Amino acid sequence: MNTRAAPIRRSVRTASGTIGYVEQGCGPVALFVHGVLLNGHLWRHQLAGLSDVRRCIAVDLLAHGDTEILPEQDVSVTANANMLAQFLDALGIAQVDLVGNDSGGGIAQIFAALHPQRVRSLTLTDCDTHDNWPPEAFKPFLAMAADGGLRGTLEAMLADKCIYRSPEALGPAYEHPQRLGDADVEIYLRPFLRSPQRLRNLERFLAAFDNKHTRAIEDRLKVFTAPTLIVWGTDDVYFDTSWSRWLEATIPGTRKRVEYEGARIFFPEERWQDFNRELRAHWQTALREAA
């Protein structure tokens, strides 16, 4: 991994709130968008490993991480896509190599559809797509949160990290859940319990899951021509590989679709060496095409 530039945590004020983010490196900007229950920490291996060729920025979504928002503001996925545009404006960034995972991949699709001129290249990993939002396997978690059980569940997972890694919780999201460190679980979950408002923000984020947001941009995806890479794990209980083929068939900019045998949704953490190689090659292709 590149160690020449250490990651720096920053925040910037936007109309959508004070947005937390981590950045590392210099050069053209790559923007990484995480999914539900996580934050920019998901992309730590990409920031460390690719900062020699990109100014890598991992943003914290609305209702996640260090991002601070108002109590009743919109936290839907479309609101998050709009936030990304405001975030880039605040940093004076015109165009990015956009990378998304999980619900962050759905948000990346919406951003790319609404702001195609701002996307130099797009990379989508296992993510919410079209009408598969929320995925069937995640609906019990949403029901638990809607019934008021979110605080107790988060407190239990923080008190005993093995619960987070269990088959009943986030274990199915990892190929090797036992390898995820306790400190990583703390970084992901602790921010949600910093205040009652933060917990409520997450509850509202979960309650706003609705595939109308991704269905609404299907026609725009069909004319999206920026170089697009699709990388998918084959052992994902949330997002079957058929959705990667749907994206490949829908987005005319698709240059390559890759499957990682046995990988699961959070493979950017677990298969980061392979994924980073794909990103390097994809970004080089995008720059050549833009020249």
Side-chain angles (χ1 to χ4, degrees):
M1 292 188 299
N2 176 55
T3 57
R4 286 175 289 176
I8 302 171
R9 175 154 288 282
R10 293 191 164 112
S11 63
V12 64
R13 292 179 63 87
T14 73
S16 292
T18 300
I19 309 304
Y21 66 101
V22 179
E23 71 168 283
Q24 187 171 359
C26 59
V29 174
L31 180 64
F32 296 86
V33 189
H34 68 86
V36 64
L37 291 174
L38 304 183
N39 50 51
H41 185 64
L42 171 73
W43 305 106
R44 58 197 178 278
H45 300 303
Q46 281 69 51
L47 268 63
L50 297 167
S51 59
D52 59 325
V53 293
R54 287 292 183 277
R55 178 186 174 190
C56 296
I57 297 177
V59 66
D60 290 344
L61 292 177
L62 304 177
H64 290 75
D66 288 339
T67 289
E68 299 281 354
I69 62 174
L70 294 175
E72 300 303 327
Q73 76 179 69
D74 186 0
V75 291
S76 68
V77 290
T78 297
N80 268 283
N82 293 334
M83 176 275 286
L84 293 182
Q86 298 165 4
F87 174 77
L88 295 178
D89 287 345
L91 295 181
I93 297 168
Q95 196 174 51
V96 296
D97 295 295
L98 184 61
V99 185
N101 175 258
D102 191 24
S103 41
I107 292 165
Q109 292 171 51
I110 296 168
F111 179 86
L114 298 179
H115 306 281
Q117 74 283 0
R118 305 195 74 162
V119 181
R120 181 169 45 248
S121 74
L122 176 64
T123 300
L124 298 172
T125 65
D126 303 44
C127 62
D128 299 273
T129 302
H130 192 49
D131 60 0
N132 184 38
W133 192 333
E136 199 65 34
F138 195 62
K139 288 180 180 178
F141 190 93
L142 295 177
M144 173 276 297
D147 287 341
L150 190 57
R151 173 177 288 281
T153 297
L154 294 175
E155 288 175 342
M157 289 193 289
L158 283 165
D160 181 355
K161 308 302 191 296
C162 290
I163 296 176
Y164 179 97
R165 294 185 283 258
S166 72
E168 293 74 32
L170 274 293
Y174 294 91
E175 192 176 355
H176 304 287
Q178 72 280 3
R179 297 181 186 174
L180 185 72
D182 287 358
D184 299 312
V185 179
E186 280 283 333
I187 291 170
Y188 286 144
L189 299 188
R190 187 62 65 182
F192 299 124
L193 297 178
R194 286 180 190 163
S195 70
Q197 181 192 323
R198 281 179 164 271
L199 183 69
R200 177 59 185 149
N201 289 341
L202 177 60
E203 290 173 337
R204 294 191 303 110
F205 181 89
L206 294 168
F209 273 24
D210 191 326
N211 59 48
K212 68 182 182 183
H213 297 277
T214 38
R215 286 187 288 111
I217 51 96
E218 180 179 355
D219 287 345
R220 298 193 188 200
L221 286 183
K222 290 179 177 178
V223 295
F224 182 78
T225 57
T228 298
L229 169 68
I230 300 167
V231 187
W232 224 261
T234 66
D235 193 25
D236 187 343
V237 300
Y238 306 101
F239 307 115
D240 186 80
T241 53
S242 61
W243 290 108
S244 70
R245 292 188 288 273
W246 186 95
L247 287 165
E248 179 184 32
T250 301
I251 299 174
T254 300
R255 301 295 190 268
K256 187 178 183 182
R257 187 182 68 87
V258 179
E259 292 184 5
Y260 289 157
E261 187 66 32
R264 297 183 177 181
I265 182 172
F266 295 151
F267 74 76
E269 291 186 276
E270 298 186 292
R271 304 261 191 122
W272 60 267
Q273 297 99 327
D274 293 337
F275 185 44
N276 285 4
R277 281 193 291 271
E278 289 290 348
L279 286 173
R280 279 181 184 271
H282 178 54
W283 293 343
Q284 288 172 355
T285 298
L287 284 177
R288 282 198 302 270
E289 291 189 15

